Amino acid sequence: MSRDHADPERAGQLHHVELYASDLDASVPFWDWLLGELGYEPKNDWEAGRSWIRDPTYVVLVRADESDHPFDRDAAGLNHLAFHAASREQVDAITEGVRERDDAGLLFEEQHPFAGGYYALYCEGPEGVKVEVVAPE
């Protein structure tokens, strides 16, 4: 079965997410790094975008046609993306990676890693999209 079509065995699960970036060149390095850390592999690469895939789920990043409308996670619409982590150690490793990056920032540092009441990373990428990486119990 093509990865671009639905798998009836995964009915109701997330198929893909498409994000628009006002500055694609500034956003690709963050998403490439983060998704690589989470086990995603490059899927497609074209002038106006990139995509990464892990099993049947993929993430697409596309250059926005209108870059004068900045992302606001507190407005109606998307607030954040949350990913499963393999372990607390993976959350810790990704957290250290975020701290070392110039294009991302740790959120809720004073409550990290239990800002949401469970072990997780909360960070913000270059376009302001909040990302959560949740550890298993």
Side-chain angles (χ1 to χ4, degrees):
M1 173 175 293
S2 167
R3 291 181 174 186
D4 291 328
H5 294 88
D7 178 352
E9 296 296 317
R10 296 181 186 269
Q13 295 180 18
L14 191 63
H15 185 272
H16 70 274
V17 172
E18 186 166 324
L19 302 170
Y20 276 43
S22 62
D23 186 342
L24 185 66
D25 293 334
S27 294
V28 165
F30 170 76
W31 288 104
D32 189 52
W33 168 78
L34 178 67
L35 294 171
E37 291 291 311
L38 293 169
Y40 284 73
E41 297 179 359
K43 181 178 186 289
N44 297 110
D45 182 349
W46 66 102
E47 184 179 340
R50 307 284 184 284
S51 63
W52 300 264
I53 192 163
R54 178 165 181 188
D55 298 322
T57 303
Y58 60 96
V59 176
V60 181
L61 185 64
V62 178
R63 179 180 295 115
D65 290 335
E66 295 184 29
S67 61
D68 61 344
H69 185 75
F71 176 76
D72 180 356
R73 72 171 182 265
D74 293 323
L78 177 73
N79 176 267
H80 70 279
L81 297 176
F83 295 91
H84 293 274
S87 64
R88 286 184 174 198
E89 292 78 16
Q90 185 181 30
V91 169
D92 293 343
I94 294 172
T95 299
E96 287 311 307
V98 166
R99 285 184 172 133
E100 294 171 4
R101 297 187 69 83
D102 293 330
D103 59 357
L106 194 63
L107 296 172
F108 319 119
E109 177 115 36
E110 67 284 351
Q111 299 167 20
H112 177 76
F114 292 100
Y118 45 85
Y119 205 96
L121 158 70
Y122 292 88
C123 70
E124 185 176 65
E127 293 279 343
V129 175
K130 182 169 76 172
V131 175
E132 182 177 352
V133 181
V134 182
E137 286 189 298

